[in-house]
Amino acid sequence: MKNTSTLFILLFLVVLLSNCSNKSDEYIDPRGTDYAGSESCIQCHQAVYHKAIQSSHYKATAAAIKGNVLGNFSSGDHVFVYDKNTKMVMEERNDSLYQVLYKNGKEVEARKLEIVFGTKHAQTSVFWRNNNTYELPLSYYTSVHSWATSPGFSAEKPYFDRKVVKDCYACHSSNISSRNVDQNSKDKNFMSMDVEDVINKKTIVYGIDCERCHGPAKEHVNQHLKFPDLKVAKNIVTYKSLTRQQKLDACALCHSGNDGMKIKSRFDFKPGDNLSEYFRSSHSPTDTTDFDVHGNQFKLLLQSKCFTKSETMDCISCHNPHENATKNLATYSKICMSCHNTVKHNTATIKTISDNLLKDNCIECHMPKKPSGVISFRLSKASKDSNYMLRTHKIAIYPTKKK
């Protein structure tokens, strides 16, 4: 009887201790064993984690399941007409979502949405074929709340053969590669290898996750769970520990365009690295090129006097990377006014806009929305393309719109 009681107590202790173990130990990340996975962060950073998973960064890519996909699939605006005989219909079939091509009333091709890109301004989607992903002909645009042609796609003839290469995922995901990382291998840099023209589904880490911006976290998680009273973050990159240029490089990795000469894969970049080791820019910091508003936020910021005259201004001065930008522009105006509290506007401006209104509209006037020159789209039955509008990050004095 005594032996039975002892055995029971030992069994109870084993179960209890197993429930208290570090869950990150059970997680296998395709990037290697030094990664813990974003869910491990919730144990100590619950508030930040819940904000981050709702952000555009985190949703830069996602599995195309209900809840992640924008747009109508059964009613309202869910049909795109190419001509009187050809149309694309957004359809839901057995809990999956499809773009279905019909010609003369007969189904010709149906492609399942499998991965979505983006969620804030627009959302495009891809499907799998022969170990690669291909973009679907139609995307959803939040500015018009409607389906329209995906960027660069024809409004006259649909097609399904535009491959989405690995480099596209480098700014929209945290990992994708040709193969699984050998967990026992010392070389864990397979995500940068582009030898094989295929993609392994098992290697995808959707969105921009915590470790994409803060570096591998397994040692950090283990140490802080073991020593919960530690007040200083160990074995992790905190942005307050980086120099101004290191902070800027971390953002510029994906927000400075793609016109530079690629030296190394973006997936290899770790916070604190020098961006010049990954790309050789074709432009100087003093370049006056009229950069497109899409994807060139950093290069546009470099052309701003606000930035060039400041020794401390960086992206985080105005943006919290853990949450989406607020739609209340007055919030940003307060940031502007913290430096420009003695700004004087010209007589013509003051006559048309009151001082109080000016103080709340710095962004609308000095960082206006401008049409992208590289992205446009065509709505169903429309005769011309629509502009894809984004706010410029070149802070400047722009001509007043004539009424």
Side-chain angles (χ1 to χ4, degrees), residues 8-42:
F8 177 80
I9 292 170
L10 287 173
L11 183 62
F12 174 78
L13 288 172
V14 168
V15 173
L16 180 64
L17 290 172
S18 65
N19 288 336
C20 294
S21 65
N22 181 3
K23 292 298 181 183
S24 70
D25 289 337
E26 302 169 11
Y27 174 75
I28 297 177
D29 193 287
R31 292 169 288 190
T33 54
D34 48 351
Y35 284 83
S38 289
E39 288 191 4
S40 64
C41 303
I42 196 173

Side-chain angles (χ1 to χ4, degrees), residues 230-335:
L230 282 174
K231 302 300 181 185
V232 179
K234 301 289 186 180
N235 302 315
I236 199 74
V237 175
T238 59
Y239 271 61
K240 64 182 179 181
S241 69
L242 300 179
T243 66
R244 182 197 189 197
Q245 190 58 52
Q246 287 173 328
K247 293 176 185 177
L248 290 168
D249 281 358
C251 298
L253 180 69
C254 290
H255 291 281
S256 61
N258 295 302
D259 59 346
M261 183 179 74
K262 179 181 172 182
I263 303 171
K264 295 165 64 177
S265 169
R266 284 185 175 94
F267 283 126
D268 285 340
F269 185 93
K270 301 292 186 298
D273 284 356
N274 189 331
L275 187 61
S276 63
E277 296 176 4
Y278 292 80
F279 286 89
R280 292 283 167 81
S281 179
S282 57
H283 299 279
S284 71
T286 56
D287 205 321
T288 57
T289 301
D290 187 16
F291 294 111
D292 193 80
V293 288
H294 177 261
N296 285 298
Q297 293 90 339
F298 179 62
K299 287 178 180 174
L300 289 165
L301 185 64
L302 287 179
Q303 297 178 344
S304 309
K305 287 184 179 180
C306 284
F307 178 81
T308 57
K309 291 186 175 183
S310 172
E311 295 182 356
T312 59
M313 184 180 182
D314 57 38
C315 306
I316 300 177
S317 298
C318 300
H319 295 289
N320 181 345
H322 295 131
E323 57 187 61
N324 289 333
T326 178
K327 294 181 180 180
N328 182 6
L329 298 184
T331 301
Y332 293 106
S333 295
K334 290 179 181 178
I335 299 172

